[in-house]
Structure formats: C-alpha cells, structure tokens
Amino acid sequence: SVFFINRDTGFIGSGNDYTSTGVILQTTDGGNNWTQKTFSVSNKSTISHKEINDYDNSYGIRQIFFLDNLKGFAVAGTGGGWARTILTTTNGGITWIYKYATLEEYGLLTVYVTNKGTGFAGGFNGSIFNTTDGGNSWRQSFSGGITSGGEERIIDIVFINDSFGFAGGLRASFNLPGEVILKTSNGGKTWITS
C-alpha cells in the first residue's frame, strides 16, 4: 500500500502474509529517504506487547489511508491465518497505535474513514468493521462468510456522501466465482448485494 498526504510526505505499508513482520515506512522528502515506524499499544488497550509481537510475525500492512495531514489508519492481517489488526495515528504517522488487534478469522485489506469520523475496514471472509468515533473503537458490522471451496473478500470501500457507499471485492469459490458488490444507503448500518 502506498499513500501520500502531500508531495513530500508519504507512507508504504508492507510485509509478507505469513513469514515477515508488518512494516510502515515514511518519507518526508518526496521518497528519497524512508524510515521505519514503530507500533505501540495505547494506555486503554487490553492488548499485550507479547500478543503484538505474535501478530507482527504473521501479517503485512495491507492498506494505509489518511483523512488529513495528521489522522491516518492502517489495516493488516493474514489471508490464511487468524490475525486481524487496525492501527491509527493522530500525529501524521510519527507513531502508530493498535486500536484493534485480535486472533480471529482473517485479516483486513481496506480502510476508509469519513470527515465525520465514521469509518469502515473490510477484508477476507467478506467482513466489514466500522467505527463511529474516528477510529478509537471498531466492531464487526457485516460478515460475508466462507463458501464451499472458497471465500469472499472485500477489497475496497468508498463513500460518495455520509449515507451512500459501496464495498467491492471478489468471491474466490470453485462453485460461484465472481465479484462481490455491496451497497449501503444508511451510512453502513446495513449492506445489500448490488
């Protein structure tokens, strides 16, 4: 994942699905030099440092998204394991804090947050998570599920306005391959097949 908040400051999220640590790199000089950022646990978090080290060995950063020059989000997780993570920054990417990290189902592939602080993260198993407080807390609001011989993946989420949005992806199934298109007209409270 690559995301630039201006012509000089940008981020790359990386890491191997199964064997490498997830990393976020930052440049402040238009990509000439890059520094690796660290992840930390917020004081209110119940996630231990040991758990985070275990997660870091099993995922890569899948997408980075910035709402403005200071507030950013990153999602991670495995496609064949049980790690799922959401990180946030409020200081332009200087530090990243785990806001959601757990060993459950599959990882996340995309994140999108509106100016009003409502956001969505989607990924493997057709899952969509949402926040209504600017990314401080997240809960699962939709689950597509695994079909016989494959699974659904939410690859991208975008909103046209505060109410109307789409989630797109694919169904990787031997029996029903094809696309997944979901839409919402009530700010992500419910999602229907489009």
Side-chain angles (χ1 to χ4, degrees):
S1 173
V2 178
F3 193 98
F4 272 74
I5 56 178
N6 58 46
R7 67 179 279 170
D8 293 321
T9 305
F11 299 86
I12 292 177
S14 182
N16 186 288
D17 287 354
Y18 304 104
T19 61
S20 175
T21 301
V23 296
I24 295 177
L25 303 172
Q26 179 183 22
T27 182
T28 56
D29 60 6
N32 292 316
N33 296 289
W34 296 87
T35 57
Q36 185 171 335
K37 309 315 288 180
T38 59
F39 309 151
S40 64
V41 179
S42 67
N43 292 336
K44 297 179 181 177
S45 176
T46 59
I47 307 161
S48 74
H49 284 284
K50 181 187 180 313
E51 288 175 311
I52 287 172
N53 289 334
D54 291 342
Y55 295 145
D56 283 346
N57 289 328
S58 63
Y59 72 84
I61 301 297
R62 303 302 188 119
Q63 187 176 39
I64 298 170
F65 173 81
F66 272 79
L67 185 59
D68 55 37
N69 287 343
L70 298 175
K71 184 83 172 180
F73 306 86
V75 293
T78 62
W82 293 89
R84 178 183 289 152
T85 304
I86 301 172
L87 299 134
T88 64
T89 181
T90 57
N91 58 13
I94 295 169
T95 57
W96 291 85
I97 297 175
Y98 285 88
K99 289 297 183 173
Y100 188 95
T102 185
L103 295 174
E104 63 181 19
E105 296 188 19
Y106 298 108
L108 297 169
L109 299 169
T110 185
V111 61
Y112 180 86
V113 180
T114 70
N115 288 329
K116 291 188 175 182
T118 301
F120 302 89
F124 292 99
N125 201 22
S127 60
I128 297 176
F129 283 71
N130 77 307
T131 180
T132 57
D133 59 8
N136 287 318
S137 62
W138 294 82
R139 68 174 184 79
Q140 189 166 355
S141 58
F142 185 82
S143 179
I146 297 175
T147 61
S148 176
E151 69 172 47
E152 297 169 350
R153 296 178 188 169
I154 302 298
I155 297 172
D156 202 7
I157 298 173
V158 67
F159 273 72
I160 296 168
N161 57 41
D162 291 336
S163 298
F164 198 69
F166 292 93
L170 61 95
R171 181 173 291 112
S173 171
F174 300 117
N175 301 326
L176 300 167
E179 66 281 340
V180 173
I181 303 170
L182 303 171
K183 69 178 177 179
T184 181
S185 59
N186 58 10
K189 291 179 182 140
T190 57
W191 295 86
I192 59 171
T193 304
S194 178

